[in-house]
Amino acid sequence: MIRRPPRSTLFPYTTLFRSVTFQVPENYVLKDVFDAVSVYIIPKTELHNKVITVNALDYKILGYPVAIDSHIYPRNSLIFNVCFVCDGSSRTVQYETVIRKLSGYLVGLEVECQFLSKEETKCQLPQIMERILIELNNNGICTIPINESNTIYLRVVPASQDPPLVEDHHVPVFFNRTAFVASQWDLTTQQILPFIDGFNHIAKIAAETDVEISLVKACIQNMVYYGVVTLIPIFQYSNVYTVTPNIQQLAEDKSLQEECLKYIGRPGNLPNFRDVFTLYCGLAPGTTVRDLCIRFNPHTMHVDERQICVTAIA
């Protein structure tokens, strides 16, 4: 499951010649604030065509300064920067591709029809910026027709958190092995795939595949980042597990029950769900997996007790 990050409020505005030409909402960034950071909003040539983030005075300003050189402009160049202004504590990395793409649209419009420099078209910018503000904040996506041949398409793609460090004792397990397309991954990842079974830990996978352990960790970390696998502790009969209130989902969801039985059942025999649910409910503080096996003998129920623990954790 992917949870979208909290949205920052966006306030785009365009600057020309170190002055605020348009701002939505009006006067959100006061003149003294702009004057204090203007050197970073319209920077020197070396920083043109680069995403710049300025965190100052309780604001975080994300921009992409652009210069269009042409003899048609009074100074032979049009310099502008459309910016997103967020709260100083906001995470803005997810908007970097959006601001770069928006600037590209504006450059294309200016080159094609002088959209930014002609008064009759430049006056449309506040309405466009307001729609970007509202639609990105509300929906994370916006589609704005400009003219017969140009439409602005923007989408905020949630930025994933950095994956955790992968240790020698971690055990990778697939979220959905059937949906995984091995050919889309690098050769090293393809080499270690057959050894990701929910029981082999990182050090064992490296030894079995004769791949440097640092490379195995890098591959697994990459797969964790993309939500392909998750990391669980090594299975041991001395481990202690306990169920959470989420066990109620298993009791009520028939499709989840069928999937669970196929995964934890021994080859050729599907266990009875009542027996499986009894085993899950037997996981409690102070009760090891060994104690559970002695009490219920999962083999007679056609249940692989290792898979029960892997399924419950993953």
Side-chain angles (χ1 to χ4, degrees):
M1 179 182 295
I2 299 177
R3 181 176 296 173
R4 299 183 71 85
R7 295 199 180 284
S8 306
T9 302
L10 303 185
F11 301 98
Y13 64 95
T14 303
T15 62
L16 299 171
F17 306 116
R18 290 191 182 172
S19 64
V20 180
T21 305
F22 299 116
Q23 186 176 172
V24 178
E26 285 290 338
N27 299 318
Y28 181 76
V29 177
L30 300 178
K31 185 179 184 302
D32 57 341
V33 175
F34 175 77
D35 290 342
V37 298
S38 62
V39 66
Y40 304 106
I41 304 303
I42 301 296
K44 294 183 178 181
T45 307
E46 291 78 9
L47 293 178
H48 288 176
N49 301 311
K50 293 179 175 63
V51 176
I52 297 177
T53 303
V54 182
N55 199 342
L57 304 174
D58 296 326
Y59 294 101
K60 184 175 285 189
I61 304 173
L62 186 70
Y64 191 83
V66 174
I68 303 175
D69 297 324
S70 175
H71 67 277
I72 67 174
Y73 304 118
R75 300 184 182 181
N76 295 321
S77 181
L78 173 66
I79 303 173
F80 73 91
N81 191 359
V82 58
C83 297
F84 290 170
V85 182
C86 306
D87 182 78
S89 59
S90 300
R91 189 166 188 251
T92 58
V93 64
Q94 65 270 33
Y95 300 117
E96 291 183 0
T97 55
V98 179
I99 198 70
R100 185 185 293 111
K101 187 175 182 180
L102 178 55
S103 295
Y105 277 124
L106 294 178
V107 169
L109 287 168
E110 174 62 23
V111 171
E112 181 179 319
C113 57
Q114 289 78 57
F115 189 86
L116 301 180
S117 54
K118 286 184 178 179
E119 291 298 329
E120 57 267 28
T121 52
K122 185 172 68 174
C123 63
Q124 300 178 36
L125 280 174
Q127 290 78 21
I128 294 172
M129 291 158 53
E130 184 173 10
R131 285 192 60 181
I132 293 173
L133 167 67
I134 294 172
E135 294 182 21
L136 285 187
N137 276 338
N138 292 341
N139 308 315
I141 185 173
C142 70
T143 301
I144 305 174
I146 304 299
N147 51 38
E148 293 182 356
S149 57
N150 292 282
T151 301
I152 292 177
Y153 297 97
L154 300 174
R155 176 189 292 271
V156 179
V157 179
S160 302
Q161 298 291 333
D162 292 337
L165 291 177
V166 179
E167 304 292 349
D168 293 4
H169 60 273
H170 281 151
V171 177
V173 56
F174 279 103
F175 278 119
N176 187 351
R177 182 66 177 88
T178 57
F180 182 79
V181 182
S183 60
Q184 296 179 352
W185 295 77
D186 60 88
L187 294 177
T188 304
T189 300
Q190 293 182 40
Q191 185 175 347
I192 68 176
L193 285 179
F195 299 88
I196 300 177
D197 59 0
F199 304 109
N200 291 333
H201 52 79
I202 299 297
K204 184 175 181 180
I205 292 174
E208 294 284 348
T209 57
D210 196 26
V211 175
E212 175 63 39
I213 192 168
S214 61
L215 294 178
V216 174
K217 289 181 178 180
C219 291
I220 297 299
Q221 190 176 42
N222 191 42
M223 296 172 75
V224 171
Y225 179 81
Y226 286 105
V228 176
V229 302
T230 188
L231 301 174
I232 64 174
I234 296 176
F235 173 82
Q236 299 181 90
Y237 283 93
S238 59
N239 288 354
V240 175
Y241 304 93
T242 184
V243 295
T244 69
N246 291 333
I247 191 69
Q248 188 67 26
Q249 297 179 16
L250 183 61
E252 298 173 351
D253 190 333
K254 293 294 184 181
S255 61
L256 187 61
Q257 293 173 15
E258 294 175 1
E259 185 179 351
C260 176
L261 294 179
K262 291 178 182 178
Y263 189 79
I264 68 175
R266 293 187 176 277
N269 293 287
L270 279 182
N272 183 281
F273 176 72
R274 181 179 178 181
D275 294 336
V276 172
F277 197 75
T278 300
L279 288 173
Y280 273 122
C281 293
L283 297 171
T287 301
T288 64
V289 178
R290 182 183 294 107
D291 296 334
L292 190 73
C293 292
I294 293 173
R295 180 181 176 186
F296 293 104
N297 192 3
H299 283 255
T300 62
M301 300 177 177
H302 309 296
V303 171
D304 186 338
E305 65 276 3
R306 301 180 307 163
Q307 297 285 23
I308 279 189
C309 298
V310 170
T311 306
I313 297 173

